[in-house]
């Protein structure tokens, strides 16, 4: 009797705490997701709707923001537009509504490509270098190992932008300003310290006996690394890659300072999209929405690895 | 199969001398067991033979060739690790095929398949070949580890406490199997353990390892009956040998250097008749035998009881010893040669 009553109580309270936890999580999710939803919604508004007051929750969706993001346009007289005949494409049609014609593609696609190239390129390099350095630090007697590791970490102890001026001058001198190579080198340098530290933790977790066994079985150290160590580092590498990618992808200050034409990435470009009479908010939102996509996709694709990776040593031995 | 020889091999880690001046020969087709507690240097000794450690002094020979500085990959030995030897990202089959797929070995697919299946059948894990290594029980994992070693025909098998993580019943089964397989293929095996029962049952010869020093090498029987040191005497036998002062239990010693006298429990004679000099403290019935702790002349002595005497705790008894079976040790713990009577 008593026991069953007690059990019921336990069940009840755990049900209640589940509800409370659920409500808190939902509330938190709403708070964090709201700005994102707002951005996505704005990207489908027309420019007047985007700045109307009070803000519109319900509106007629349009792709105008996306069209403006990808095109350069100029305003024309009615007579000129009439002479052109009917619009040939759907986006031409949207643009004509505002008495404009498309004069060519915008620079957005190029900036976006720069972001992809620089972001993924530097992530790849940081992870490759980080993996090898982490393996070396974990497995071999490296002179001054602890000092070196501390030194590597110490590069993260100040905000990277603190060294902006020396880097600016150095890059100008070396001809690396406004080049994709320069940005890749810069982001790799910043990320590699994080990568070494994170990945060393993962390598330390892998028992040496695995490699010893492979060595005895007739594999070289490098082959053992590829066949035995790498597969077991998958989760760690995925987690590290995401962290590196997020940093490189979102980096704003250096991109603003060091790039202008050629190698400019999306972050400094997007907020500066000017329409008639100031910022073109739907186009800015459309750019931001597209900018978020790759990180979302990568995170979703890697999420299983990521969950295992972020729990670090908690995986079964 | 080949002969493995250690010649005055030493290995230290910073300030720990893990192996000191060790010399040992494991003959072709012989099963040698190194017995010692944790930290005695057993694993290090094996790693030296595999090439995973390079000694500071001495040499290692494999099949007559000096391999002291040869890479592990080029030594052609197989190693069964105490733990962590299976790759969690591979299946059982892939784990067992791993050594055969090594770049230097170039075994063709059909041969790999045949070898792995054969060995898996021999170890009775044939039905598990497609499982992930992590989905196995402890006993199966250890079978696969042993299987990984058996698929190749290496010069020497090195086994580092392969059974120590298993429960008693499995350990016994695998022990018997291991011995059978070794016999069947005539393998040269150097096996290390801290378990004296494993050592006694598996070994052609046992080496007793203490703090990196090989104290004695001999057949199980030699070491049991004629231990070279007190340490070796205490490593074998359960309950352990009784260490007494000269003169106790009426044992007369051959010379004046004797500091301690060792008498095995089975050589202590307990009876109701005769001069009463002891009292029974405990009686443990182990089935095959009955072990008793007896308080005699101020010492506690283990003895085997004759069940027919029906003795119980608190009984007064007469305790004597079979003096010819004794061992004598000097003050350094080394055995003193007894004059054959
Ligand atoms: N890689 C190493 N670095 C430092 N000390 C070690 C290393 N390997 C073993 N040792 C030390 O050497 C001694 C013998 O170790 P080991 O051979 O593993 O003993 P066992 O296998 O008999 O338990 C121990 O004191 C151990 O701490
Ligand atoms: Mg060991």
């Amino acid at each position: 009797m008593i026991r069953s009553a007690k059990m019921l109580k336990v069940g009840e309270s755990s049900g209640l705490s589940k509800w409370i936890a659920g409500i808190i999580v939902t509330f938190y999710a709403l708070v964090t997701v709201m700005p994102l939803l707002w951005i996505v919604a704005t990207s489908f508004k027309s420019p007047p709707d985007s700045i109307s007051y009070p803000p519109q929750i319900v509106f007629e969706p349009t792709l105008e923001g996306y069209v403006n993001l990808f095109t350069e346009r100029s305003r024309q007289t009615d007579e000129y537009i009439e002479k052109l005949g009917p619009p040939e494409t759907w986006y031409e049609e949207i643009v004509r509504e505002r008495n404009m014609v498309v004069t060519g593609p915008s620079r957005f696609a190029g900036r976006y490509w720069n972001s992809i190239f620089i972001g993924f390129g530097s992530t790849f390099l940081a992870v490759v270098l980080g993996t090898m350095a982490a393996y070396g630090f974990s497995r071999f007697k490296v002179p001054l190992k602890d000092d070196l590791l501390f030194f590597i970490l110490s590069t993260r102890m100040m905000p990277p932008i603190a060294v902006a001026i020396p880097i600016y001058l150095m890059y100008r001198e070396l001809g690396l300003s406004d080049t994709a190579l320069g940005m890749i080198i810069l982001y790799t340098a910043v990320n590699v310290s994080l990568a070494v530290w994170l990945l060393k933790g993962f390598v330390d977790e892998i028992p040496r006996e695995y490699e010893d066994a492979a060595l005895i079985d007739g594999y070289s150290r490098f082959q053992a690394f590829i066949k035995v160590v790498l597969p077991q580092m998958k989760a760690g590498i995925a987690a590290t890659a995401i962290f590196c990618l997020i940093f490189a992808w979102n980096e704003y200050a250096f991109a603003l300072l060091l790039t202008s034409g050629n190698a400019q990435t999306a972050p400094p470009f997007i907020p500066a999209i000017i329409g008639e009479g100031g910022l073109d908010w739907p186009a800015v939102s459309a750019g931001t929405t597209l900018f978020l996509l790759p990180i979302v996709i990568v995170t979703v694709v890697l999420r299983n690895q990521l969950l295992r990776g972020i729990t670090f040593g908690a995986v079964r031995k | 199969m080949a002969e493995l020889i250690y010649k005055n091999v030493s290995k230290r880690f910073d300030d720990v001398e893990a192996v000191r001046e060790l010399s040992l020969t494991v003959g072709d087709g012989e099963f040698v067991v190194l017995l010692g507690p944790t930290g005695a240097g057993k694993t290090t000794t094996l790693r030296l033979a595999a090439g995973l450690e390079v000694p500071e002094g001495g040499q290692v020979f494999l099949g007559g060739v000096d391999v002291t500085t040869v890479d592990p990959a080029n030594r052609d030995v197989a190693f069964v690790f105490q733990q962590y030897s299976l790759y969690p990202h591979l299946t059982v089959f892939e784990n067992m095929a791993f050594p055969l797929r090594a770049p230097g070995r170039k075994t063709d697919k059909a041969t790999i398949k045949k070898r792995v299946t054969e060995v898996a059948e021999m170890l009775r894990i044939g039905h598990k070949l497609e499982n992930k290594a992590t989905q196995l029980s402890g006993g199966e994992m250890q079978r696969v580890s042993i299987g990984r070693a058996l698929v190749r025909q290496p010069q020497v098998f090195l086994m580092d406490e392969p059974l120590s993580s298993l429960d008693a019943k499995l350990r016994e089964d695998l022990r018997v199997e291991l011995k059978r397989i070794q016999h069947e293929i005539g393998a040269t095996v150097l096996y290390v353990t801290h378990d004296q029962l494993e050592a006694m049952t598996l070994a052609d010869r046992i080496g007793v390892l203490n703090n990196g020093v090989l104290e004695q090498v001999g057949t199980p029987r030699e070491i049991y009956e004629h231990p070279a040191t007190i340490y070796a005497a205490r490593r074998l036998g359960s309950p352990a040998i009784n260490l007494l002062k000269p003169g106790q239990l009426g044992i007369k010693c051959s010379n004046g250097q004797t500091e301690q006298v060792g008498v095995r429990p089975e050589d202590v004679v307990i009876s109701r008749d005769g001069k009463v000099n002891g009292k029974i403290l405990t009686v443990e019935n182990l089935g095959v035998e009955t072990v008793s702790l007896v308080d005699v002349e101020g010492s506690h002595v283990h003895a085997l009881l004759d069940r027919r005497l029906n003795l119980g705790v608190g009984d007064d008894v007469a305790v004597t010893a079979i003096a010819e079976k004794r061992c004598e040790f000097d003050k350094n713990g080394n055995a003193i040669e007894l004059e054959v009577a």
Side-chain angles (χ1 to χ4, degrees):
Chain A
M1 238 333 255
I2 292 167
R3 213 171 98 214
S4 75
K6 209 170 165 185
M7 276 165 64
L8 205 75
K9 216 169 138 191
V10 170
E12 256 174 15
S13 81
S14 89
L16 185 68
S17 62
K18 238 185 209 168
W19 268 101
I20 294 174
I23 289 168
I24 293 174
V25 168
T26 312
F27 179 73
Y28 180 72
L30 274 178
V31 169
T32 49
V33 165
M34 261 322 281
L36 283 179
L37 287 180
W38 196 257
I39 289 172
V40 175
T42 306
S43 75
F44 290 104
K45 286 178 180 175
S46 64
D49 281 353
S50 73
I51 50 172
S52 71
Y53 188 85
Q56 286 180 315
I57 308 284
V58 184
F59 57 91
E60 198 179 325
T62 162
L63 285 173
E64 193 175 342
Y66 289 88
V67 172
N68 291 355
L69 177 66
F70 281 99
T71 58
E72 296 283 345
R73 302 156 311 279
S74 69
R75 181 168 288 283
Q76 300 294 346
T77 56
D78 289 346
E79 301 87 70
Y80 178 83
I81 288 177
E82 242 154 61
K83 261 195 290 177
L84 289 176
E88 279 163 24
T89 56
W90 61 270
Y91 55 86
E92 194 82 31
E93 201 177 318
I94 291 176
V95 171
R96 296 262 176 101
E97 303 244 315
R98 303 244 176 254
N99 278 342
M100 304 222 240
V101 292
V102 173
T103 55
S106 77
R107 289 172 301 159
F108 179 73
R111 302 300 188 248
Y112 198 78
W113 166 248
N114 281 342
S115 265
I116 290 184
F117 184 63
I118 292 169
F120 283 83
S122 68
T123 299
F124 177 77
L125 274 184
V127 169
V128 169
L129 294 175
T131 306
M132 294 196 291
Y135 182 74
F137 276 121
S138 174
R139 292 297 195 253
F140 300 114
K141 274 198 182 137
V142 180
L144 298 177
K145 182 190 279 189
D146 294 344
D147 304 284
L148 281 175
L149 278 169
F150 178 79
F151 174 71
I152 290 174
L153 188 66
S154 70
T155 60
R156 300 284 305 211
M157 287 178 187
M158 57 186 176
I161 201 67
V163 290
I165 291 174
I167 286 181
Y168 179 78
L169 296 174
M170 192 165 72
Y171 267 42
R172 209 178 48 184
E173 215 48 40
L174 293 171
L176 286 172
S177 289
D178 203 18
T179 61
L181 178 66
M183 296 314 286
I184 289 180
I185 292 175
L186 182 67
Y187 292 164
T188 304
V190 175
N191 271 336
V192 95
S193 62
L194 175 78
V196 170
W197 271 81
L198 280 180
L199 288 168
K200 180 172 178 294
F202 288 105
V203 184
D204 286 343
E205 289 289 315
I206 303 172
R208 280 158 188 261
E209 278 84 349
Y210 288 133
E211 287 147 85
D212 289 343
L215 291 183
I216 292 171
D217 285 342
Y219 291 79
S220 70
R221 169 133 329 245
F222 184 70
Q223 289 158 343
F225 172 73
I226 299 286
K227 293 225 166 216
V228 177
V229 180
L230 271 191
Q232 294 188 62
M233 285 180 71
K234 265 200 316 217
I237 288 176
T240 307
I242 294 259
F243 287 129
C244 292
L245 181 64
I246 287 175
F247 168 81
W249 190 254
N250 291 336
E251 206 284 327
Y252 178 76
F254 277 109
L256 190 66
L257 184 74
L258 295 177
T259 66
S260 48
N262 269 329
Q264 194 182 45
T265 51
F269 177 80
I270 291 172
I273 300 170
I274 308 291
E276 286 190 317
L279 280 174
D280 185 345
W281 288 112
V284 168
S285 303
T288 308
T289 305
L290 293 180
F291 183 70
L292 290 173
L293 273 182
I295 298 281
V296 172
I297 292 171
V298 170
T299 312
V300 169
V301 167
L302 293 182
R303 75 172 176 272
N304 285 336
Q305 301 288 348
L306 206 57
L307 281 177
R308 282 206 289 140
I310 292 174
T311 52
F312 290 98
V315 267
R316 157 203 47 74
K317 295 222 168 163
Chain B
M1 291 294 144
E3 191 183 53
L4 167 65
I5 300 174
Y6 292 89
K7 209 166 151 191
N8 294 321
V9 175
S10 297
K11 176 74 195 175
R12 58 163 45 243
F13 297 104
D14 303 322
D15 47 359
V16 184
E17 270 192 273
V19 175
R20 280 181 243 187
E21 297 276 313
L22 181 132
S23 294
L24 172 70
T25 301
V26 184
D28 193 355
E30 195 182 18
F31 200 125
V32 172
V33 176
L34 288 180
L35 179 65
T38 305
K42 304 184 298 292
T43 301
T44 308
T45 306
L46 290 186
R47 290 174 64 90
L48 283 162
L52 295 170
E53 309 285 355
V54 177
E56 273 94 49
Q59 291 156 292
V60 179
F61 295 88
L62 254 175
V65 183
D66 182 350
V67 293
T68 314
T69 55
V70 172
D71 279 345
N74 299 320
R75 291 202 182 189
D76 196 22
V77 300
F79 203 120
V80 180
F81 288 86
Q82 194 167 357
Q83 269 180 301
Y84 301 132
S85 44
L86 299 189
Y87 304 125
H89 59 291
L90 300 180
T91 64
V92 170
F93 182 91
E94 288 164 337
N95 263 289
M96 288 178 65
F98 195 81
L100 296 176
R101 287 178 176 160
R105 208 156 276 117
K106 292 209 187 73
T107 321
D108 64 81
K109 268 207 171 111
T111 317
I112 291 178
K113 179 134 205 230
K114 186 165 153 282
R115 251 337 260 160
V116 171
T117 325
E118 253 171 39
V119 172
E121 288 308 324
M122 182 158 69
L123 290 167
R124 286 181 269 144
I125 42 174
H127 56 295
K128 296 279 182 180
L129 282 176
E130 294 313 314
N131 289 32
K132 267 269 155 69
T134 45
Q135 299 164 341
L136 302 179
S137 69
E140 287 162 347
M141 281 193 193
Q142 231 28 340
R143 275 165 210 265
V144 178
S145 297
I146 294 168
R148 271 175 48 111
L150 291 174
V151 289
R152 291 162 46 192
Q153 278 122 342
Q155 307 232 44
V156 178
F157 290 96
L158 305 168
M159 303 198 177
D160 191 358
E161 313 202 29
L163 308 182
S164 65
S165 58
L166 307 178
D167 59 61
K169 177 77 178 78
L170 257 174
R171 194 145 68 190
E172 201 178 310
D173 290 352
L174 265 179
R175 203 171 66 208
V176 173
E177 241 169 288
L178 203 60
K179 186 69 186 168
R180 174 180 62 80
I181 292 168
Q182 184 259 340
H183 207 73
E184 226 171 83
I185 62 181
T188 309
V189 180
L190 181 57
Y191 182 109
V192 310
T193 181
H194 64 264
D195 180 347
Q196 53 157 318
L197 192 66
E198 258 171 46
M200 296 280 266
T201 49
L202 284 170
D204 295 326
R205 285 190 303 145
I206 293 178
V208 179
L209 202 55
N210 179 21
N211 259 326
V213 177
L214 196 54
E215 298 227 333
Q216 186 177 10
V217 184
T219 63
R221 197 177 165 141
E222 270 166 20
I223 297 181
Y224 190 78
E225 289 178 358
H226 304 288
T229 59
I230 289 189
Y231 182 82
R234 292 167 62 104
R235 282 310 307 181
L236 289 190
S238 169
I241 195 165
N242 297 300
L243 291 172
L244 304 167
K245 296 261 151 359
Q248 281 187 304
L249 297 185
I251 298 173
K252 286 187 198 65
C253 290
S254 41
N255 67 43
Q257 285 165 16
T258 305
E259 283 280 312
Q260 296 191 76
V261 180
V263 181
R264 297 272 174 204
E266 61 270 31
D267 300 328
V268 177
V269 183
I270 306 269
S271 71
R272 286 181 184 278
D273 320 311
K275 194 176 134 255
V276 169
N277 58 354
K279 193 189 252 308
I280 292 185
L281 295 177
T282 64
V283 176
E284 286 176 87
N285 189 342
L286 302 179
V288 187
E289 58 196 16
T290 304
V291 177
S292 170
L293 188 64
V294 187
D295 180 22
V296 56
E297 296 166 5
S299 304
H300 288 180
V301 171
H302 276 111
L304 294 192
L305 285 189
D306 184 343
R307 207 169 310 183
R308 286 162 302 186
L309 290 179
N310 251 331
L311 289 165
V313 174
D315 289 355
D316 291 320
V317 287
V319 186
T320 53
I322 305 174
E324 307 85 74
K325 294 281 192 66
R326 74 186 186 272
C327 321
E328 295 183 20
F329 302 100
D330 65 17
K331 61 180 191 301
N332 298 322
N334 292 321
I336 297 170
E337 199 76 33
L338 300 185
E339 270 117 71
V340 187

